[in-house]
């Protein structure tokens, strides 16, 4: 089988307007009032995707490690903002905590995947580093917002329990151990569910992309296995780092709860 | 044994709840604290237990500053029983022994002392009445063998008969074990020996 990749022309891309039209038409017909939101979301998504495609192409072209790093840092800042926005709480400095968790989680996992497993050379080869780090970051974002949201709501709802544990002479880490467990498990549920059905019900985005891009399906599934474990470890690392940081925010060094933050 | 000088406390960006407070508690002493709701009585107990940090002032136990003790050990010595009792849904016996490994005899003695049947030890912590939970929280604190116990309205959820029973049960154990006690109450502590201090404007007075 020849590796023929169909490269959609701009005119072909324009034909996706048919699919866009279907959504608008159904929204109007069924009175879903989604037209405005969907149009805005569609406009943003198209602009973002074209822009990122262009940016990555430029980074490929410039071929310098620092451009790759600058792009990754920018992506992580945007991810942190999006992650913090998804958490309902208005905890001061939350975006920074989310950024540290996402960045640390991404660095650890990206290093393992690109240096230990794939051994890419040079280490910053944007063709591998950007899509893999981007995928890791996307998962870190989801995990961070799920874990953060749940941990904060557990802290609020279980104030009496935390107070009791502190009074009885337990450390702040021990006092919110159960809240941590609940929050981390909560952030891992989507990944676990996906692992059970992967390949059976759906082909994951990256695998689909690689097959469409002409890669041998066996190679695509090998990559998907790497991605699957990469996602699971990113989720748990990011969630635990964020919760650790939140714990430090909620308690003083003398194991006192900062009531004003609840 | 506890000596507080010129204590101030305010939550961030709020007025002082405790302001220029002086307080002394001697070994085995019982002190009642009365005052209107929101005057800072519960806050004062949380400061004594170091659950809250004072804005300023000196807090000493046995002549040593609170900050020189390990906070977690200090809290075990100065036990607070909050106004709202908290027990997990685990068995009552597991709730009682969460923070200590007491002898069975001591649990039985305290259960008996507070008119609680031993049968409830194997019930879930959330199957109890507020009055039972409140007494169990006092027992859980006593099992840690504290030097000081801080009670925040421990009889608020009890009817007059149980209230009077609680007072006499607690009084006996307190005297037997020589535990210094600070007891915040809305009721008239008439009939019990002990000093009564009134809290007003963030200070304690007679």
């Amino acid at each position: 089988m020849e590796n023929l990749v169909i490269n959609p022309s701009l005119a072909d891309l324009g034909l996706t307007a048919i699919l866009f039209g279907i959504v608008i038409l159904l929204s109007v017909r069924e009175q879903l009032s989604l037209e405005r939101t969907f149009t805005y979301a569609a406009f943003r998504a198209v602009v973002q995707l074209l822009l990122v495609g262009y940016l990555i192409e430029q980074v490929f072209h410039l071929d310098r490690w620092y451009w790759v790093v600058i792009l990754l840092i920018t992506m992580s800042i945007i991810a942190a903002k999006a992650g913090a926005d998804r958490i309902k709480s208005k905890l001061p400095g939350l975006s920074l905590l989310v950024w540290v968790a996402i960045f640390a989680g991404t660095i650890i996992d990206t290093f393992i995947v690109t240096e230990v497993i794939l051994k890419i050379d040079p280490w910053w080869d944007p063709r591998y580093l950007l899509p893999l780090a981007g995928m890791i970051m996307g998962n870190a974002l989801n995990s961070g917002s799920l874990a953060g949201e749940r941990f904060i709501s557990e802290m609020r709802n279980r104030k009496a329990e935390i107070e009791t544990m502190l009074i009885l002479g337990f450390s702040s880490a021990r006092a919110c151990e159960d809240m941590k467990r609940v929050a981390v498990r909560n952030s891992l549920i989507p990944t676990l569910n996906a692992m059970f059905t992967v390949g059976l019900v759906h082909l994951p985005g990256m695998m689909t992309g690689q097959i469409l891009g002409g890669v041998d399906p066996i190679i695509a599934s090998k990559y998907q296995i790497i991605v699957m474990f990469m996602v699971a470890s990113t989720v748990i690392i990011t969630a635990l780092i964020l919760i650790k940081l939140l714990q430090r925010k909620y308690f003083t060094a003398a194991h006192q709860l900062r009531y004003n933050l609840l | 044994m506890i000596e507080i000088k010129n204590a101030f406390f305010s939550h961030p960006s709020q007025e002082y709840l405790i302001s220029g407070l002086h307080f002394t508690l001697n070994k085995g002493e019982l002190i009642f604290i009365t005052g209107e709701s929101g005057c800072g009585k519960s806050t004062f107990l949380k400061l004594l237990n170091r659950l809250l940090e004072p804005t300023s002032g000196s807090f000493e136990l046995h002549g040593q500053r609170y900050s020189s003790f390990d906070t977690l050990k200090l809290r075990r010595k100065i036990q607070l029983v909050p106004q709202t009792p908290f027990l997990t849904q685990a068995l009552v016996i597991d709730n009682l022994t969460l923070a200590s490994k007491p002898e069975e005899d001591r649990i039985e003695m305290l259960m008996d002392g507070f008119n609680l049947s031993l049968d409830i030890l194997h019930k879930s912590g959330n199957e109890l009445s507020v009055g039972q939970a409140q007494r169990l929280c006092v027992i859980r604190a006593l099992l840690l063998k504290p030097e000081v116990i801080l009670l925040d309205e421990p009889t608020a959820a009890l009817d007059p008969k149980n209230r009077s029973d609680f007072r006499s049960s607690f009084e006996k154990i307190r005297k037997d074990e020589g535990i210094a006690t600070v007891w915040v109450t809305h009721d008239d502590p008439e009939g019990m020996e002990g000093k009564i201090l009134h809290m007003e404007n963030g200070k304690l007075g007679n």
Side-chain angles (χ1 to χ4, degrees), chain A residues 69-96:
Chain A
V69 171
I70 289 172
L71 189 60
L72 284 177
I73 292 176
T74 313
M75 282 160 70
S76 70
I77 294 170
I78 297 169
K81 176 80 178 64
D85 283 351
R86 283 194 212 165
I87 300 174
K88 283 184 220 110
S89 156
K90 291 288 155 270
L91 201 65
L94 183 63
S95 298
L96 181 65

Side-chain angles (χ1 to χ4, degrees), chain A residues 16-92:
Chain A
T16 53
I18 298 172
L19 303 171
F20 174 81
I22 291 177
V23 178
I24 298 293
L25 200 75
L26 288 175
S27 171
V28 173
R29 216 185 103 109
E30 301 294 326
Q31 299 179 332
L32 303 175
S33 315
L34 283 172
E35 305 90 84
R36 277 174 69 106
T37 319
F38 181 71
T39 307
Y40 175 61
F43 173 75
R44 267 192 69 155
V46 169
V47 171
Q48 283 162 206
L49 285 171
L50 290 176
L51 200 68
V52 82
Y54 174 77
L55 260 176
I56 293 177
E57 196 194 23
Q58 289 305 305
V59 173
F60 277 21
H61 182 69
L62 290 165
D63 210 20
R64 289 284 179 276
W65 68 268
Y66 46 83
W67 284 113
V68 178
V69 171
I70 289 172
L71 189 60
L72 284 177
I73 292 176
T74 313
M75 282 160 70
S76 70
I77 294 170
I78 297 169
K81 176 80 178 64
D85 283 351
R86 283 194 212 165
I87 300 174
K88 283 184 220 110
S89 156
K90 291 288 155 270
L91 201 65

